[in-house]
Amino acid sequence: MSTPPPLPERPRLPWDPPDHFEKRIPDGDNRERLVCARCEFIHYQNPKIVAGAVCTWNDRILLAKRAIEPRKGFWTLPAGYMELGETTEQAAQREAREEACATIEIERLLAMYSVARIGQVQIMYRARLVSADVAAGPESEDVALVEWKDIPWEQLAFPTVIWALAHFHESRGKTDFATYSNPTGDLARMWPPRKPAGV
Amino acid sequence: MSTPPPLPERPRLPWDPPDHFEKRIPDGDNRERLVCARCEFIHYQNPKIVAGAVCTWNDRILLAKRAIEPRKGFWTLPAGYMELGETTEQAAQREAREEACATIEIERLLAMYSVARIGQVQIMYRARLVSADVAAGPESEDVALVEWKDIPWEQLAFPTVIWALAHFHESRGKTDFATYSNPTGDLARMWPPRKPAGV
Ligand SMILES: [Zn+2]
Ligand SMILES: [Zn+2]
């Protein structure tokens, strides 16, 4: 029996605080924060928003092959960190453009997942490609418009990619549905990555 | 004709960077970031998540009177900054507990608003109070369970409070509806605060 691949570690990120930051409860606060021991700057670490989309061209779904760690070489949905000054919809559109040179129209909110382990809230839209003209951006090795039956389930990058695809599938043909959130049951345990039952 | 009150300024917040931080494009990045001139720490400023809820006890809605700036003395829905390690639902529950000593059950996602001007994404749930036992927490001067006809529209703290209440009203009795997002039209222009048409 082989061991499943470890769930991707949250890599060291550029905004991770340097070692000379120390834990302290600031005046008027009620929890420990990281404080720069040199300049007393209080570094509040808050959950980060990742915005992305399940983008379709007719029956095909846009996937991008990651050119960067974590999970380099695995397939993902266009998604990334939201920046200041944009809306969640604009962030999802920008990520589709940056990662897959794709122009998309946001259709509606598909899902919102809290991934507390890595301090993320992932906001996933259902979107339509304005054209089939897509190409790998700098963070992608490749892009593809794949039919449902050809989704490379075992080669998907993250559990949330599987969740979003399964929820997208469940929402197909519906116009009014509750935004999906973190799954329970089998779908919550899609690691190592594989095709969920019933999709 | 009197001038409307100014839209509340985003106050100086504890996580605002000190003056010795300077703007610079870090290696490998494509936009200006704030960098500590003393220790080279890159301070990525990201949108912050505010989680809250429209909480009901039968037909009454839970409001809290703000004891702190901005908009001290005005009425709001329980909501606040999400912390690391919790889900969006847990953040909304914690805020209801902290601001109104209220225990709530999350029903479903009501709305998600991007407020780019102040770098916030507001995530608002529909929730039920587990009991009518509510009281002002340290950040509130008062709390109240008000009937729809008694909502103090002109005394509401922020435009997004008006949006959430109007969207809540529109969603009443519905189980499946698309999560609301930033309004357009009249509802987008509810400043100075007032009762929206048709609610
Ligand atoms: Zn400094
Ligand atoms: Zn420092």
Side-chain angles (χ1 to χ4, degrees):
Chain A
M1 226 182 93
S2 65
T3 341
L7 198 61
E9 278 293 299
R10 179 183 169 300
R12 187 169 170 88
L13 293 170
W15 49 79
D16 282 334
D19 292 336
H20 68 272
F21 279 39
E22 51 189 47
K23 283 189 179 171
R24 219 186 283 166
I25 300 178
D27 288 345
D29 203 339
N30 56 11
R31 40 185 98 200
E32 271 192 344
R33 308 288 177 181
L34 280 165
V35 182
C36 172
R38 299 185 193 158
C39 77
E40 297 293 310
F41 169 63
I42 305 169
H43 179 52
Y44 286 87
Q45 292 181 294
N46 296 94
K48 301 252 179 328
I49 299 166
V50 167
V54 178
C55 310
T56 51
W57 177 253
N58 300 324
D59 270 352
R60 290 167 183 267
I61 292 164
L62 175 62
L63 295 178
K65 195 177 189 176
R66 292 176 60 81
I68 51 173
E69 293 295 347
R71 300 290 281 163
K72 179 168 153 33
F74 289 84
W75 291 89
T76 190
L77 294 163
Y81 287 106
M82 182 179 174
E83 297 276 359
L84 277 184
E86 59 188 9
T87 64
T88 49
E89 290 88 349
Q90 288 165 344
Q93 289 176 306
R94 177 181 50 72
E95 291 293 340
R97 201 165 44 243
E98 287 179 4
E99 296 182 0
C101 306
T103 306
I104 62 170
E105 265 170 21
I106 299 289
E107 207 178 302
R108 51 164 290 165
L109 184 60
L110 172 68
M112 185 172 66
Y113 307 122
S114 297
V115 194
R117 185 180 67 91
I118 50 173
Q120 288 183 0
V121 172
Q122 299 199 2
I123 291 165
M124 300 300 293
Y125 288 93
R126 237 172 38 174
R128 275 182 302 263
L129 284 157
V130 170
S131 84
D133 195 11
V134 295
E139 293 178 8
S140 307
E141 283 175 6
D142 197 4
V143 292
L145 286 169
V146 301
E147 287 187 54
W148 185 258
K149 65 174 177 49
D150 297 327
I151 288 176
W153 294 99
E154 275 117 61
Q155 299 301 310
L156 293 180
F158 307 110
T160 49
V161 174
I162 303 177
W163 300 354
L165 286 169
H167 286 154
F168 167 80
H169 192 67
E170 204 179 304
S171 83
R172 269 188 163 166
K174 293 184 198 170
T175 47
D176 272 345
F177 59 90
T179 298
Y180 292 90
S181 59
N182 292 44
T184 52
D186 261 3
L187 190 56
R189 292 182 293 273
M190 283 291 129
W191 207 259
R194 60 190 184 278
K195 187 175 185 187
V199 301
Chain B
M1 227 182 92
S2 65
T3 343
L7 197 62
E9 278 292 299
R10 180 185 171 297
R12 188 169 167 88
L13 293 169
W15 49 80
D16 282 333
D19 292 335
H20 69 272
F21 278 41
E22 50 187 48
K23 285 189 178 170
R24 218 187 285 164
I25 301 177
D27 288 345
D29 202 337
N30 55 10
R31 41 184 100 200
E32 271 192 342
R33 309 287 178 181
L34 280 165
V35 182
C36 173
R38 300 185 193 156
C39 78
E40 298 292 310
F41 168 63
I42 303 169
H43 179 50
Y44 285 86
Q45 293 180 295
N46 296 95
K48 302 253 180 323
I49 299 166
V50 167
V54 178
C55 310
T56 52
W57 176 251
N58 300 324
D59 269 351
R60 290 166 182 268
I61 292 165
L62 175 62
L63 295 179
K65 196 176 188 176
R66 291 176 61 82
I68 51 172
E69 293 295 348
R71 299 287 284 162
K72 179 168 155 35
F74 289 83
W75 291 89
T76 190
L77 294 164
Y81 288 106
M82 181 180 175
E83 297 275 0
L84 277 183
E86 60 189 6
T87 64
T88 50
E89 290 88 349
Q90 288 166 344
Q93 289 176 307
R94 176 181 51 71
E95 291 293 339
R97 200 163 47 241
E98 287 179 3
E99 297 182 0
C101 306
T103 306
I104 62 170
E105 265 170 19
I106 299 289
E107 209 179 299
R108 50 164 291 166
L109 183 59
L110 172 68
M112 185 172 66
Y113 307 123
S114 297
V115 194
R117 186 179 66 91
I118 50 173
Q120 288 183 1
V121 172
Q122 300 199 3
I123 291 165
M124 300 301 292
Y125 288 94
R126 235 169 45 172
R128 275 181 303 263
L129 283 157
V130 169
S131 86
D133 196 10
V134 295
E139 294 177 9
S140 307
E141 284 176 4
D142 196 5
V143 293
L145 286 169
V146 300
E147 287 186 54
W148 186 257
K149 64 175 177 47
D150 297 328
I151 288 175
W153 294 100
E154 273 117 62
Q155 300 301 310
L156 294 180
F158 308 109
T160 49
V161 174
I162 304 177
W163 301 353
L165 287 169
H167 286 152
F168 167 78
H169 192 67
E170 203 180 306
S171 82
R172 268 188 164 167
K174 293 185 197 170
T175 48
D176 272 344
F177 60 91
T179 298
Y180 292 89
S181 59
N182 293 44
T184 52
D186 261 4
L187 190 56
R189 292 182 293 275
M190 282 293 129
W191 207 257
R194 59 190 184 279
K195 187 176 183 185
V199 302

